[in-house]
Amino acid sequence: MRIGVGMAETNLACLLPAGWRHSSGERPMRILALLGVLAGLAACGGSGLSGGDDGEGTGTEGADIEGSPTMQPGQNCLSCHSSGEHTFTAAGTVFSHPDDPVTAGVGGVVVLITDAHGTVTQLVTNSAGNFYTDAPLVFPITAELHRGSSVMRMAQTVPIGGCSTCHNQPPAAGAPGRNYVAP
């Protein structure tokens, strides 16, 4: 069994406005130093850029900050994270009900993804309800959500890891709506 809690890194370079470069093409050293301090605060559990995301409770702290682990809950993560530096093999957002708004993601839910070879990848949703992994998965996959004593299992296997491709509003391909597990 492979166990992980998503990826804790944040791409801080994307927070700099375009054109903030010296004529030599380098970013100003003061800005890089500031970003280093902010990254250190986030890594040490300070308020950080993601709103102190500890995986507890609900909310979308940092959801408007591009590059934050809590960014864009309910959206198809793989529409951007399917290639490049931050490539995910599976990602999504968990809610309490299939028709919840994107601001109602649930933190602390255990997500178990089982691939075609029976390998289980365990993740925990962050405060926005987001989960993601770059673990190598053999498709098709299935998933189950655990929240306290409540469990929600997928009825079928799927050939993709972008959960919100189908689990969205409106739902697609026979999905019941958003990924959800009742309290």
Side-chain angles (χ1 to χ4, degrees):
M1 174 185 291
R2 179 182 171 102
I3 298 177
V5 185
M7 300 160 79
E9 58 191 276
T10 300
N11 183 358
L12 297 175
C14 65
L15 298 175
L16 290 175
W20 274 36
R21 295 182 181 269
H22 283 284
S23 58
S24 67
E26 297 296 320
R27 288 186 174 93
M29 291 305 292
R30 281 185 245 167
I31 292 172
L32 289 177
L34 174 62
L35 289 175
V37 169
L38 291 174
L41 285 174
C44 294
S47 61
L49 296 175
S50 65
D53 185 17
D54 60 4
E56 297 292 325
T58 61
T60 56
E61 298 87 354
D64 59 338
I65 299 176
E66 202 67 24
S68 165
T70 58
M71 67 184 269
Q72 300 185 12
Q75 302 302 310
N76 182 4
C77 307
L78 296 187
S79 64
C80 294
H81 293 283
S82 59
S83 64
E85 183 181 352
H86 299 288
T87 300
F88 303 152
T89 52
T93 307
V94 177
F95 299 88
S96 291
H97 306 286
D99 57 353
D100 277 346
V102 296
T103 56
V106 180
V109 175
V110 175
V111 179
L112 300 176
I113 299 171
T114 305
D115 74 6
H117 287 161
T119 302
V120 177
T121 300
Q122 179 176 326
L123 306 165
V124 177
T125 60
N126 63 29
S127 65
N130 292 344
F131 64 92
Y132 46 94
T133 184
D134 62 355
L137 299 173
V138 179
F139 290 89
I141 61 172
T142 189
E144 58 186 67
L145 309 173
H146 295 258
R147 183 179 183 191
S149 62
S150 297
V151 177
M152 179 65 88
R153 290 182 179 86
M154 288 186 69
Q156 61 190 28
T157 60
V158 293
I160 59 172
C163 302
S164 295
T165 302
C166 299
H167 291 281
N168 213 326
Q169 288 299 325
R178 300 195 189 284
N179 293 317
Y180 75 98
V181 60

